[in-house]
């Protein structure tokens, strides 16, 4: 997976998905957000097993793939970037 996405756009989408992720999940993976990159852009998904929320944002995807990241860590990293700059996600 090799994706370039705007930091502020990604932070906005992650904050939205963070609302559905439980603060203390019974199953560890429920504290994560799934990121999937393809030709259409970056797709994000999170669930608490009752409600699921999906979102997408424009991104430059060189190599398709997907990964699950802890949503609180991802939000924290994106929010630390003050300027609207490109972030590269590589796996």
């Amino acid at each position: 997976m090799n994706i370039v996405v705007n930091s502020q756009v990604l932070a906005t989408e992650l904050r939205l998905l963070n609302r559905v992720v439980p603060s203390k999940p019974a199953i560890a993976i429920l504290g994560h957000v799934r990121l999937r990159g393809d030709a259409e852009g970056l797709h994000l998904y999170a669930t608490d097993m009752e409600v699921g929320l999906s979102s997408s944002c424009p991104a430059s995807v060189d190599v398709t793939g997907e990964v699950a990241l802890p949503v609180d860590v991802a939000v924290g990293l994106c929010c630390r970037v003050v300027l609207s700059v490109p972030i590269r996600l590589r796996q």
Side-chain angles (χ1 to χ4, degrees), residues 74-90:
V75 169
L77 290 174
C78 286
C79 291
R80 288 184 187 184
V81 178
V82 178
L83 302 174
S84 181
V85 296
I87 292 179
R88 181 177 300 275
L89 305 170
R90 289 188 290 181

Side-chain angles (χ1 to χ4, degrees), residues 7-68:
S7 62
Q8 295 303 312
V9 172
L10 181 59
T12 300
E13 300 302 326
L14 287 171
R15 278 190 222 104
L16 174 68
L17 292 171
N18 193 31
R19 294 175 186 236
V20 76
V21 173
S23 59
K24 295 184 180 180
I27 303 170
I29 195 67
L30 295 180
H32 290 61
V33 61
R34 185 183 77 174
L35 305 173
R36 181 175 51 89
D38 61 22
E40 297 175 7
L42 182 62
H43 307 278
L44 302 92
Y45 181 76
T47 185
D48 67 356
M49 296 297 284
E50 291 182 18
V51 176
L53 187 60
S54 64
S55 180
S56 62
C57 60
S60 171
V61 180
D62 295 332
V63 179
T64 61
E66 60 185 278
V67 65

